[in-house]
Amino acid sequence: RLKNAIITVQDQERKHIASELHDQVSNKLNLLILMLNNIKTENGNEVAIIKNEVRKIIDKNRDISHYLFPVEIENIGLFFTLQDLSIKYKTPNFEIKLLCHNPVNFSCKQTEIQLYRVIQESLTNVLKHSKATVFTLHFKTYKNQIILIVSDNGIGFEKDVIKKGLGFTSIETRLHSINASFKFKSKPKKGTQLIIVI
């Protein structure tokens, strides 16, 4: 119960900070661009450079806000949010594959948010440690249960290493908060799998 309470408080605080970043910082930066548009100067290049830098700050602020609280999940759901994530992270050397053969209906938004957090943590670990080129999210349904297999084709880990770090505690706590069972599978040079059953 304590772990669940901590997660709830953390998510509420993240949502509040994300809202403040959007409402206060981004809105003021957009106002600054409007003010720059009204500046009359002989050197238009300087104003253009400043506007470009402000837009970069707006974009970064939006990324941070969305990372803190994935508001898209409340609006468009987990799958469309993950599709956007796959586009954002696609490079010539890395891709996110999203597989779902049958429609999946989640019991509540909290389940979707916590799954997204787990996927975020797993993706961070993959990008930092695994040297993978493919990160796969495979959703299935079986006997009224939702199964999510999060896997990569990276270098893999010994089981003890997984339990000592790699955000394991965060993943474990979030999955327990939605009453999900899960299992890690990994071997050196064989990639890593996280199997989640809800």
Side-chain angles (χ1 to χ4, degrees), residues 88-143:
K88 179 180 178 181
Y89 280 89
K90 185 174 178 60
T91 70
N93 301 314
F94 185 79
E95 67 173 321
I96 298 175
K97 287 186 177 179
L98 182 59
L99 307 175
C100 182
H101 303 298
N102 299 310
V104 176
N105 297 314
F106 296 97
S107 58
C108 64
K109 286 296 178 183
Q110 187 64 18
T111 298
E112 294 182 68
I113 289 170
Q114 296 310 327
L115 282 179
Y116 185 75
R117 291 289 185 214
V118 168
I119 290 166
Q120 274 184 318
E121 185 69 46
S122 299
L123 177 59
T124 298
N125 292 334
V126 165
L127 293 173
K128 283 184 178 179
H129 306 290
S130 76
K131 300 181 182 178
T133 58
V134 180
F135 180 70
T136 304
L137 304 170
H138 191 176
F139 288 87
K140 303 178 181 180
T141 55
Y142 179 74
K143 292 184 177 179

Side-chain angles (χ1 to χ4, degrees), residues 1 4 18 20 50-52 54 73-74 90 100 107 113 127 134 143 153 155 161 165-167 169 172 193-194 198:
R1 287 197 299 269
N4 289 350
E20 287 295 307
I50 294 171
K51 286 166 62 177
N52 186 54
V54 172
I73 290 179
E74 292 189 341
K90 185 174 178 60
C100 182
S107 58
I113 289 170
L127 293 173
V134 180
K143 292 184 177 179
N153 65 345
I155 59 175
V161 175
L166 304 176
T169 301
E172 180 182 43
Q193 275 193 340
L194 169 59
I198 305 170

Side-chain angles (χ1 to χ4, degrees), residues 17 20-21 39 57 59 75 78 84 131 158 181 189 192:
I17 294 170
E20 287 295 307
L21 283 172
I39 292 178
I57 296 171
D59 290 342
N75 297 328
L78 179 61
D84 287 344
K131 300 181 182 178
E158 294 288 353
S181 57
K189 299 181 182 180
T192 302

Side-chain angles (χ1 to χ4, degrees), residues 32-33 35-37 39-55:
L32 180 58
I33 287 182
M35 293 169 66
L36 287 169
N37 287 336
I39 292 178
K40 294 181 180 179
T41 176
E42 293 180 0
N43 194 342
N45 287 337
E46 290 182 3
V47 173
I49 290 170
I50 294 171
K51 286 166 62 177
N52 186 54
E53 291 303 312
V54 172
R55 287 192 181 97

Side-chain angles (χ1 to χ4, degrees), residues 16-35 51 53-68 71:
H16 174 70
I17 294 170
S19 178
E20 287 295 307
L21 283 172
H22 177 269
D23 295 341
Q24 300 297 326
V25 181
S26 288
N27 288 344
K28 284 182 171 59
L29 288 170
N30 281 312
L31 180 60
L32 180 58
I33 287 182
L34 292 175
M35 293 169 66
K51 286 166 62 177
E53 291 303 312
V54 172
R55 287 192 181 97
K56 287 181 182 178
I57 296 171
I58 291 172
D59 290 342
K60 176 57 70 174
N61 187 69
R62 185 182 64 245
D63 289 344
I64 294 170
S65 176
H66 289 184
Y67 180 83
L68 284 170
V71 68

